[in-house]
């Protein structure tokens, strides 16, 4: 029986890049069936809700979801659907790898960094958001727990072992945020002691940003809290050619959602110029999660080959091809 994957095509450039990834999964012979549901603005327009119950049910039912970017209306009264999904399904680990691909014209050629971001707590817990009556003061509560910190640190070290990685860098701001970041650092240090085979270092987040720009090759796995991980992973995407090259996996104990790191890119939606690589790379993460190593390696090789040849890449990579031509080039390699 074929495995069923939940698919959320998303908003803006989402449908075109998700469609590209599905064509590639099919061409590689993955044999998936797709359970299509909506979320974000598309769902708000068609079903009156940013996150309909039918979408929640499909994610729970199938366990594995491929998701396009979702737009959140700016303004009061709307919670980010992405944040809601991560909390609802306790997708506590956000895995954001960046790898140099020859041919991207990126600033660096030798990058291989995974940001492991705590995905449900910290400043994104949504707790205590208050704006005073006269609008002059705003408050939000950052919640960090020992259990959440332990889980994410364990995840990072287990990943290091599984993937034969040499080093984990704990990124924090415990010098100023003594309670929240302090608890995260203390807990991560304790977990690190259980992994003497993996080198550990610590870095304050502002220094980490500077080091990532000046000397990114020193990093291997970065483990950090929610807000820092969100920002650092976009910075990392910039090291390898931009957001079009950055996938993200949201992993929980029962479900996983695979997506691009970037958003719905309204500035380029409908123009057939979006780079589909981020969602193609997210679907490679999905295949690895399901243990489908052979299919994932074949798709990765085809994608690398297209980017290296440079003849049919999208504008963000320095080429002139559209989303469909780029996808076609990957399909023909497969
Ligand atoms: N995981 C998600 O679903 C997610 C993540 C971030 C932002 N968002 C949402 O997306 C919307 C737009 O956010 P934004 O404009 O700040 O960020 P964005 O990531 O959508 O775009 C930032 C810049 O990167 C470019 N870009 C992004 N993806 C690209 C691709 N595949 N190929 C080529 N260029 C690409 C865009 O054109 C834009 O110039 C907002 O509603 C935001 O809430 C969703």
């Amino acid at each position: 029986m074929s495995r069923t994957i939940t698919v959320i095509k998303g908003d803006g450039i989402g449908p075109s890049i998700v469609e590209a990834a599905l064509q590639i999964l099919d061409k590689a012979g993955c044999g998936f069936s797709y359970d299509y549901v909506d979320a974000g603005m598309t769902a708000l327009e068609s079903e009156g809700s940013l996150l309909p119950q039918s979408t929640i049910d499909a994610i729970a039912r199938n366990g594995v979801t491929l998701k396009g970017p979702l737009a959140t209306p700016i303004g009061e009264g709307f919670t980010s659907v992405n944040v809601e999904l991560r909390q609802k399904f306790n997708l506590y680990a956000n895995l954001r790898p960046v790898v140099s691909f020859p041919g991207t014209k990126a600033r660096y050629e030798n990058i291989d960094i995974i940001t492991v971001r705590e995905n449900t707590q910290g400043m994104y817990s949504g707790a205590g958001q208050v704006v005073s009556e006269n609008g002059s003061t705003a408050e939000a509560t950052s919640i960090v727990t020992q259990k959440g910190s332990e889980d994410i640190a364990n995840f990072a070290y287990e990943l290091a072992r599984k993937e034969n990685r040499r080093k984990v860098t704990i990124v924090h701001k415990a010098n100023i945020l003594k309670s929240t970041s302090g608890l995260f650092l203390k807990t991560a240090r304790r977990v690190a002691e259980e992994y003497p085979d993996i080198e550990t270092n610590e870095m304050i987040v502002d220094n980490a940003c500077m080091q990532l720009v000046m000397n990114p090759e020193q990093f291997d796995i970065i483990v950090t809290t929610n807000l820092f991980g969100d920002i650092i992973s976009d910075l990392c995407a910039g090291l390898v050619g931009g957001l079009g090259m950055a996938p993200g996996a949201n992993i929980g104990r029962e479900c996983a959602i695979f997506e691009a790191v970037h958003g719905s890119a309204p500035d380029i939606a409908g123009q057939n110029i979006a780079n589909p690589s981020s969602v193609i790379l997210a679907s490679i993460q999905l295949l690895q999660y399901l243990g489908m190593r052979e299919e994932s390696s074949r798709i990765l090789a085809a994608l690398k080959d297209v980017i290296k040849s440079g003849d049919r890449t999208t504008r963000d990579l320095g080429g002139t091809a559209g989303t469909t031509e780029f996808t076609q080039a990957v399909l023909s390699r497969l």
Side-chain angles (χ1 to χ4, degrees):
M1 209 176 76
S2 81
R3 167 117 209 182
T4 303
I5 306 288
T6 303
V7 176
I8 302 171
K9 289 195 175 179
D11 301 314
I13 60 171
S16 64
I17 57 175
V18 169
E19 189 49 47
L22 297 183
Q23 282 178 31
I24 287 165
L25 287 171
D26 290 344
K27 183 81 179 184
C30 297
F32 295 140
S33 308
Y34 304 115
D35 189 354
Y36 293 99
V37 287
D38 286 329
M41 292 303 284
T42 316
L44 186 66
E45 278 153 26
S46 62
E47 298 177 54
S49 162
L50 285 166
L51 186 56
Q53 187 59 43
S54 52
T55 301
I56 295 169
D57 293 344
I59 294 170
R61 185 167 59 240
N62 300 315
V64 176
T65 298
L66 184 66
K67 185 182 86 56
L70 304 176
T72 303
I74 295 175
E76 287 163 32
F78 289 104
T79 317
S80 156
V81 185
N82 295 309
V83 172
E84 201 179 336
L85 281 173
R86 290 164 190 165
Q87 288 177 350
K88 198 173 276 296
F89 290 102
N90 193 19
L91 305 173
Y92 69 97
N94 189 195
L95 220 68
R96 295 184 159 187
V98 291
V99 181
S100 297
F101 279 55
T104 53
K105 301 187 177 69
R107 282 170 211 276
Y108 298 95
E109 287 172 357
N110 203 17
I111 305 295
D112 184 357
I113 303 171
I114 306 180
T115 302
V116 177
R117 161 193 178 195
E118 199 296 318
N119 215 17
T120 58
Q121 305 193 337
M123 283 314 299
Y124 289 18
S125 60
Q129 300 219 48
V130 186
V131 180
S132 66
E133 238 164 64
N134 66 4
S136 64
T137 311
E139 277 176 41
T141 307
S142 174
I143 297 176
V144 171
T145 66
Q146 191 180 54
K147 169 90 171 63
S149 304
E150 206 168 79
D151 284 350
I152 199 66
N154 271 317
F155 190 99
Y157 281 94
E158 284 299 321
L159 180 75
R161 271 196 185 153
K162 198 170 86 193
E163 301 212 346
N164 292 320
R165 300 246 169 188
R166 68 197 146 82
K167 184 160 105 179
V168 171
T169 301
I170 304 168
V171 172
H172 65 91
K173 187 75 186 176
N175 52 326
I176 305 291
L177 307 175
K178 290 184 189 293
S179 57
T180 48
S181 212
L183 177 60
F184 169 75
L185 176 62
K186 207 164 77 183
T187 310
R189 275 180 182 162
R190 215 176 34 242
V191 171
E193 284 169 15
E194 292 162 28
Y195 295 84
D197 48 319
I198 311 285
E199 185 190 339
T200 296
N201 71 335
E202 298 169 7
M203 219 176 265
I204 294 174
V205 64
D206 26 356
N207 180 32
C209 289
M210 190 270 288
Q211 296 287 340
L212 275 164
V213 174
M214 301 287 289
N215 181 16
E217 287 91 352
Q218 69 182 289
F219 293 93
D220 190 348
I221 289 181
I222 291 172
V223 64
T224 190
T225 43
N226 205 337
L227 176 61
F228 298 157
D230 196 6
I231 297 168
I232 279 182
S233 55
D234 268 36
L235 195 163
C236 289
L239 303 174
V240 297
L243 284 170
M245 298 303 299
N250 301 277
I251 313 251
R253 291 192 171 78
E254 269 130 46
C255 287
I257 299 181
F258 300 84
E259 62 181 351
V261 162
H262 61 72
S264 55
D267 54 333
I268 58 168
Q271 298 174 43
N272 191 34
I273 56 174
N275 180 357
S277 301
S278 48
V279 180
I280 298 171
L281 289 165
S283 59
I284 290 172
Q285 284 187 302
L286 182 154
L287 292 173
Q288 287 166 348
Y289 176 81
L290 293 176
M292 298 170 73
R293 294 263 160 199
E294 202 244 312
E295 292 86 344
S296 73
S297 305
R298 284 179 52 221
I299 297 175
L300 185 60
L303 181 66
K304 271 191 177 157
D305 197 47
V306 172
I307 294 173
K308 193 173 174 190
S309 73
D311 58 345
R312 286 205 273 166
T313 51
T314 44
R315 279 195 332 194
D316 57 312
L317 299 180
T320 54
T323 312
T324 45
E325 278 174 279
F326 182 101
T327 308
Q328 215 44 58
V330 180
L331 288 170
S332 62
R333 253 98 172 164
L334 279 169

